Every structure is written in structure tokens, then in C-alpha cells.
Amino acid sequence: MKPVVSADPTGLVTQAGAPAPPLRYGEVEAGPDGSAEPALGPGRGWRFARSWRRRWKRMAGLAIAVALVVAGGLTYLLTRSTGPTFRTVAASIGNVQETTSLSGTISPATEADANFEVAGTVRSVNVAAGDRVKAGAVLATLQAPTLQADVQQAAAALEQAQAKLASDQVNPTLVQAEGSAISAEQALSQDKTNVSYTQSSNTATLAQAKQSVTQAQQQLANDMASGQASVAQARTQLADDTTSGQASVTQAQQQLANDMASGQASVAQARSQLATDKQSGGLSVSQATSQLANDRPTLSTDQATLATDNGVLAADQQKEAVDCLGSGAAGLSSSVAILGAGSGGTGSGSTSSGTGSSGTTSSTCSGDESALSAAQQQVTSDQQKVTADEQAVKKDQQSISSAQASTKATQQRDQQALASAESSLKVAEQKDEAAITAAKRSLAASEQKDQQALASAESSLKVAEQKDEAAITSAQSSASSTGQKNAQSLQQAQAQVGSAQVQLSQAQASMAADKVGQPAQLTADKAAVASDEVALSEARLNLANGTLRAPVAGTVVSVNLSKGQTVAAGSTTVSGPSGSSSSGSSGNSGSGSSGSGSAASGSGSGSSGSGSAASSSGSAGSASGSGEVVIDSTGTFTVTADATTSQIAAIQDGEQAVITPTGTSSTAYGVVTGTGLVGTTSSGVTSYPVTISVTGTPSGMYAGSSADLDVITRQATNVLVVPTTAVHTLSTYSFVYLLKGGKEVVQRVTLGATSGVYDQITSGLKAGQQVVIASLSARVPTGGSSGSPFGGGLGGGGFIFRGGGGGGALFRGGLGG
């Protein structure tokens, strides 16, 4: 059953501003697995009593659950994010089954109460409780000597009566007529016995034919259930493999996108590094070139200065040579003094103190030497500058070469990294594209294999249905043919009885014509002969009925016989699944009919009446299950259950049911074969009987044990479904919440079948639309609520905790505070 919610008069609103589901405080909403208790809302008042009984039984567990939810809610309020959080699920295509749950009692499909049709003493009992027997098997026998003695005694009495009649007869014609009448009466008695035997045999063969039809129908139901389960399993496997394969394809595509993004990022990074290194190397070369450009003019300037100073030096050298060479030794001494770092200073005193002309020349030469020395120092300084400038220019050229070489090496390294990144990207793309192709091929192969398995299962189901339907048709044809043959054989036997009666009438008429004037003794003799013939016929029939045979195949449930026991005449009955009984033929009843047919003797009619009474007693005993030997059909069962007034309206003949015997985990299947029209009222509750025939011969079924039943009253396949927890109902108005722009938007829907876990949506939604099944951050107003089953809210700041797609329940209520 889908959960129903009631209106919230406070206008509950989530943090995002969208209206939250209008549930009552303390209300429990069922999760997708149907584990929680459905809520009580408008339009569901008829479920009030049953809902509250279940809730009060679970009150202790629910109180603990509420405490845990309150504690979890406190943690959630302290740690939750500020924005609303929703849990959604997509509307999808699925199957929905509505079931009605019942409890019943397992019974055998057929029960036979076998009783001796003649009184006597039990000679042997050939079976015991628990034995399996075939139809026609000997169950027990009566003491033959007693029955044989009865036959011999009746035959002797008949012979005596016939001898007396013969001795009393004088007229040969009358004797012949009487003999003809006796023969006709014997033939009539034998023909009536044949009719009785024919009726008994026809009943047994027709019962077997009908049982064959029932078994064929049960086999069809069993094969259909098994085949449909195989088809459903194949469809589920196809859906699972398709989902798994599509997930693999999606994962491979996502991996390709990730690898492309990563590879492209690596390529972009390598290109950026190449550009950066190019710019850095170019800057280094430019700086070295600029420095070289600056150092070369300085070298040129210093070289020009050196050249100028070399000219000055040359002039000074020439002037010094002229001036100093004219002074002789003094000039030489002066030059030596200049070049020899003043070594001759002490020895020139006399020279300086020479004549005036020599002193003048010496002074000029000294000045020239000083100028020459200064010029030489200047040239030496200029030469040092030029050398330094040349070294700077050379260093700048080396810096340019080094920067160019470094730039070239860096560019080569960066280009190699770029090529490696591009190659890795290409390899990753090829690998991921190959993975996508492999995943698609695997998906296609899985789908093809699963579709073949589905087609095989459907084909097997169709073949099994055709075979079983053919078997049913054959069994029905055989039953019809058996019925026709039985009718023909009975008609022939009855025709023979009619012919024998005509012959008897003719013989009696002839005898009546011949016995005119015969004494009354002959009439008495004839009556005695007729009575003894009837007695002999009954004794012979009783002898034949001294063997008790199984009317149906099955298991012996009870044996109410023992050797030496004296039994009364009874009859055999076979009860079907509905509990109705069919009485077997009675030898006493048949012989009584023969007696009543003869108008000659009232004692024969009395014997017939006694036989009928015994037959009625036997039938009553079999109806109560007290037969001398009780046989239940082997492996075939029915389950009888009681349905309420609301349940019986949804249950129809032919609907399938899942049967779980109490105390076991095994599951069987069955078909509804009968629903009662007259109910039984007890304590104000009316119940109606429902009969379910168990399909096949499942294990774990025991007569007299109880079982739980789930009758499939409605099912829809390949329809649009959503979890039951996503659907809300106000009176006749049903709706779901769609998440649009971060807010819950109400969408009205029309419901179809419901399983308590999923609801069918017939209009208002499309496959793939996301519906909200939980609003984890929605809040409820503070304060209590009279709608709570606990007699008021919990108070304080409220919160909502809804079970999501994996199951769970929804609790509403305030926090204590």
C-alpha cells in the first residue's frame, strides 16, 4: 500500500522556499523497500484500526528509533551545510504487483474413505499409515470361508427349493415354462449385477480421467510459473548487463576525457615553458649583445687614445734624443738616469757643475726625459685600458655565445618535452578509445547473449505451454471419451437388463398360462426359488466385495481396521478439493433394487432397504474422515483460507498465489480455484472461504499445517514507476516533487497499481524525470502537534529526516528544548 500524507496547516516551507511534503508530525513514511509503516491520511479511515494496532505493537521500538533520530538530528543541525539538500531518483520503467495477504491451512487435493461394502470379519490388512498405493490396490480382505459358506448355503437352499418345486411339478410344459422363468430371472439378476459393476467401474475410471485432467492443468500452471520466472530472470540479467556495460562505456569515455584534459594541460604547459625559455634566452642574448655594443666603443676610444699617446711618446723620444745626445755624457747619463730609475744621480754632480752651456743642455734633456717618462706611463696606461677593453669585448662575445647555446639547449629540451607530452596525449587517446570500443563490444556481446537467453526462455515457456495445453486437451478428450464409453457400456448393460426383464415377463406369462389349475404349493415353491436366487446373488456379490481396494492412488493416512475385527457394510467415498463427496456404488443397494423389482416377495424389498441404510451410514462416516482406510492424494495439495469483505472483492478464480508454509523458507505456487459467496461472521468480522490449488508437487507441504498466502490481485509490467516514498496523497489528489532550480515543485500525477515499494504512474510524469524522495535540510515549525501519535510534538527546533532511495523512514517532530 502506498503511504498517504495529511495536510500541514502551518504551511511547512524548506530553506529554499519550496513547500515541503505536508506530513503530520511524528508521521512515518514508508521507504522504497516498504519497511516502514504507511501514514494515515484523509480517505484512508478504513485502515485506521489495523494501522493503530500495528503501531501500538511497535511503540517501544519506535520510541527508540525517535530517540536515535533526535540525536542524529542534533548532530545534523550542528554539522549540516547552510543550503538545502535533496535526494532524488529518476522515474523508470518497471513492474508492479499488488498482492493480498491471507493465512490458510494446507490440505490434500483428494481424500478417499474406503469402507467394505459388505459386513464380515477382517481376514487381513495389507497396508499401514504412510504407505503409498496405486488405484485398485488391495487394502484389506474379509474372511472368505464365512462368505463362501454363505454362498454355499444359499446355493444349497436354492437347490432344495428347486428340487421341491420340481417334485411338486407334474405338467412337463409347466416345468419347462417355470425353468424358462427361472433362467430369465437368473439372467435378469446377473444383468442387474453387471449394471452395478459397470456403474462402479465407470465411477473409478471417470475419476481417474478427471484426475489426469487436473494433473495436466496443474502441470501447465507449474510450467507457466517456472517459465515466467525464467523469462523474468533473463530480462533482469539483460537489464543488469546493459546497465553494467553502459557504465563501463561511460567510465571509459570519462577516462578519455580526463586523459585528454590532463594531456592537453601537459602540452599547454610544455608550450608555455618553451615560450618562456625562448623569451628568457632571447633576453640573455640581447643583454650580452647590448653589453658588447657598449664595450666596443670604449675599446675604440681607448685605442684612439693609445694611438695619440704613442704619437706623443714618439715625439718626446725624438726630442729627447735630439736634446740629450748633444750633451754628451751628461745627456747619456740623464737618459740612463731616466731609464735606470735614478741610479746615476750621485755621479752627476760634477757634470751639473760644468760650464753654463752644458748646464742648459742638461736641463733641457732632463725635461725631455721627464716628458718622455710621462708619455711612456701614459702609453702604458692606455695599453692597459685597451687590453682590458679587449678582454671585456671577448667576454661579451663569450657571453653571447653561451646565452645562444643555453637558449638553444633549453629550446631543444622544451621541444622534446612538448613532443613527449603530445605523444603521451596521443597514446592515452588511442588507449582510451580502444577501451571505449572494447566496452561497447562487450556491452553489445552481453546484450546479444542476454537477448538470446531471453528468447530461449520465452521459447521454452511457449513450448512448455503448448505441450501442457496439448496434454490438457488430450486428457480432456480422454475424459470425454471415457465418459462416452462409460455411458455406452452402462446403456448396454441397462439394455440387457431391459431385455432380460422382457424375457422374464414372457416366461412368467407363459408359466402363468401353463399353471392354470396348479395348486398353491407350486406358487409357494416358485416364490421360495426366487427368494433363494436373490439370496444366492447377494451372497456371491458379498463374496466379491470381501476385498477392499484403493479407489485412488495416494498415501494411506489412517487404517481403522485390524485382523479379526467385525465390520458393518458401508461404502467408499472420494472427496475433491472443494470438500464435496461422491458416494461409491453399493452391492447391497443394487441387490435391493433387484428385490424391489420383483413383485413376488416383500422380503426382497426389505433386504434392499437394509442395504441402502448401510450405504448411507458409510457415506456419513466418509464425509467426516472416519473411513476404515483413509487415503490422501500424494504430492497434490490445496490451501483453504479466509478473506475479509474488502479482500474477497479483489480475489478471483485463476489468480496466482505465492505460498509459504509456516516455519519454513520454501516457497510454492498455486492458483485460486474457488471463492465462497456466503460469508461467516464472527465477532463482527465477516470472512469468506478461498480455495487455492497448489501447483505441481513442491516439497515442504504437509497436510494440516498452516501457510501464508500472497494472492497476486493486480500486476502491471513495463510501466512507469517511482518509489512509493516519492508519492504524496491528499484525499484523491496525488502528487510528487520535482527539483527545479534547487527548489521542490509540485507535479500532480495519476496512480495505477502499487506494491508498497513502487507506485505505477499512469500520467503526469515521463521516464527519466527526477523526483524528490528526501529533503534532508527541510525544517518543521516549533511546538507540538495534535496529529502526532505520541500525543504532541517533541518541541524545540524541528527537522526532517527522510529515508532515501536505499530505504529508510521519514520522521517528523520537534527537538526537545
Side-chain angles (χ1 to χ4, degrees), residues 38-172:
L40 181 64
R44 301 298 177 92
W46 61 274
R47 295 196 181 104
F48 181 84
R50 184 177 63 182
S51 174
W52 272 104
R53 281 197 299 270
R54 287 198 299 262
R55 291 191 180 191
W56 281 112
K57 288 181 181 179
R58 300 172 183 170
M59 188 60 68
L62 185 58
I64 296 175
V66 170
L68 292 175
V69 171
V70 169
L74 286 171
T75 303
Y76 168 73
L77 290 175
L78 295 175
T79 60
R80 69 184 178 90
S81 60
T82 57
T85 303
F86 300 98
R87 185 173 296 167
T88 62
V89 67
S92 59
I93 302 300
N95 302 332
V96 179
Q97 284 187 345
E98 282 189 6
T99 60
T100 296
S101 298
L102 304 173
S103 296
T105 303
I106 301 173
S107 303
T110 303
E111 181 178 278
D113 293 335
N115 295 280
F116 281 108
E117 297 181 0
V118 62
T121 302
V122 178
R123 175 187 178 186
S124 65
V125 179
N126 300 342
V127 294
D131 291 348
R132 292 190 177 184
V133 297
K134 296 182 180 180
V138 177
L139 304 177
T141 59
L142 296 179
Q143 291 181 357
T146 302
L147 299 177
Q148 185 66 41
D150 292 341
V151 173
Q152 293 175 354
Q153 183 178 357
L158 177 60
E159 289 178 358
Q160 290 177 359
Q162 290 175 341
K164 187 175 186 301
L165 177 61
S167 64
D168 292 337
Q169 289 177 338
V170 178
N171 190 348

Side-chain angles (χ1 to χ4, degrees), residues 696-759:
T697 57
S699 60
M701 304 288 287
Y702 301 99
S705 61
S706 59
D708 295 328
L709 308 172
D710 287 322
V711 181
I712 302 174
T713 57
R714 186 180 182 187
Q715 59 182 351
T717 59
N718 296 325
V719 296
L720 186 65
V721 298
V722 298
T724 300
T725 51
V727 180
H728 313 279
T729 300
L730 294 174
S731 185
T732 59
Y733 181 94
S734 297
F735 62 93
V736 298
Y737 286 117
L738 301 180
L739 191 61
K740 294 183 180 179
K743 296 182 178 180
E744 292 177 295
V745 178
V746 173
Q747 175 64 43
R748 185 169 184 176
V749 296
T750 303
L751 302 182
T754 177
S755 66
V757 178
Y758 290 97
D759 288 353

Side-chain angles (χ1 to χ4, degrees), residues 351-363:
T351 302
S352 301
S353 64
T355 64
S357 177
S358 299
T360 303
T361 301
S362 176
S363 174

